[in-house]
Amino acid sequence: MCDCSSCANPLHLNRRRLLFGAAAMAAAGASGWLGDARAAVPSNDIGPDAALKRLMAGNARYAANKPNLRDYSAGRAARAVKQKPIAAILGCSDSRVAPELAFDQGAGDLFIVRVAGNFVNEDGLASLEYGTLVLRAPLILVLGHDNCGAVDATVKALKDKTEFPGHLPALVNAIKPAVEIASQSGAKDLVSAAVRENVRLAVERLKTAQPLLQDMVQQKKLGVVGGVYSLATGKVSLV
């Protein structure tokens, strides 16, 4: 008579092989994931033109609703140690304008400073100096957007003598020069024209900001450009 305890049970063996196989695959997958997570942060040792080209290519993907698929956990451990952004963005605080999405970039790719109306103030300037001098981002892009509430409020303050509470008048005063330039141009859409002028003024101020940014621009280590984001299409137009 056969000793059942010594007989190979096919079902038992198949189940055991399946469990061992799954465990091996899980271990291999975990090893690969850890390898990716510990991978070095991609270098930002590229020029301003290359950085801008990468941003605009990403924006084209975003506008076409064809963004790159990403594993956001990959490289997280390496990013905890250092960052190497390819660009610094001075953007508006508007909740509808997210630079990482608009330019289809991943974590650690963009060093972002945001303030309603995307104008340059002392704190923002210091942050951008850090992003370019210390983190070596080769490009600053000033990103405005259409239908900007901060610009619209400034237009109303100047045309309709609207008075705003709290600290809002300081914001209006910062954007006022752009609205005045746009008004002198005779533009039919004053808000739209002021948005573009506001971007241009910020770009010019950053290009000539002493003692750090101007020197980096003159040495061609840093590029400073401006763009306007369309809320309806998602496209960024350089100005």
Side-chain angles (χ1 to χ4, degrees):
M1 179 179 289
C2 174
D3 182 1
C4 292
S5 63
S6 64
C7 288
N9 185 327
L11 181 60
H12 177 71
L13 289 176
N14 287 341
R15 183 178 299 152
R16 185 166 61 183
R17 290 194 185 102
L18 180 62
L19 291 174
F20 279 134
M25 290 176 67
S31 175
W33 181 86
L34 288 174
D36 290 341
R38 292 169 183 156
V41 175
S43 175
N44 61 354
D45 187 19
I46 58 177
D49 291 343
L52 180 59
K53 183 177 180 180
R54 178 168 161 181
L55 290 186
M56 297 310 291
N59 179 247
R61 293 193 301 271
Y62 170 75
N65 199 29
K66 296 180 180 179
N68 286 336
L69 296 178
R70 290 183 173 83
D71 177 0
Y72 287 98
S73 65
R76 188 176 290 157
R79 291 193 299 271
V81 179
K82 58 185 174 181
Q83 56 176 317
K84 294 182 177 180
I86 63 156
I89 307 292
L90 172 57
C92 182
S93 300
D94 194 295
S95 62
R96 299 164 294 180
V97 187
E100 292 95 340
L101 297 179
F103 292 110
D104 190 29
Q105 299 301 308
D109 289 336
L110 301 179
F111 183 82
I112 300 172
V113 176
R114 299 181 71 171
V115 61
N118 48 270
F119 58 87
V120 181
N121 58 20
E122 291 300 310
D123 294 334
L125 177 57
S127 294
L128 292 169
E129 288 176 338
Y130 177 81
T132 53
L133 183 69
V134 179
L135 302 181
R136 300 185 181 280
L139 177 72
I140 297 176
L141 190 148
V142 179
L143 184 63
H145 67 93
D146 56 9
N147 299 322
C148 180
V151 173
D152 183 59
T154 304
V155 169
K156 289 178 179 178
L158 297 181
K159 287 182 63 178
D160 306 330
K161 307 300 180 183
T162 304
E163 295 184 3
F164 297 100
H167 293 83
L168 290 175
L171 183 151
V172 167
N173 288 334
I175 302 174
K176 179 180 176 181
V179 175
E180 291 176 337
I181 294 173
S183 297
Q184 294 169 4
S185 71
K188 293 183 179 180
D189 187 340
L190 184 55
V191 172
S192 178
V195 163
R196 299 176 74 86
E197 291 300 336
N198 192 44
V199 168
R200 291 191 182 101
L201 288 177
V203 168
E204 188 59 28
R205 181 174 178 188
L206 292 173
K207 282 183 176 181
T208 58
Q210 296 181 357
L212 300 179
L213 298 188
Q214 184 183 57
D215 186 54
M216 296 174 68
V217 169
Q218 291 176 345
Q219 294 182 34
K220 300 189 183 304
K221 294 180 180 179
L222 175 67
V224 184
V225 299
V228 174
Y229 175 86
S230 168
L231 295 173
T233 67
K235 294 181 179 180
V236 173
S237 302
L238 297 178
V239 299

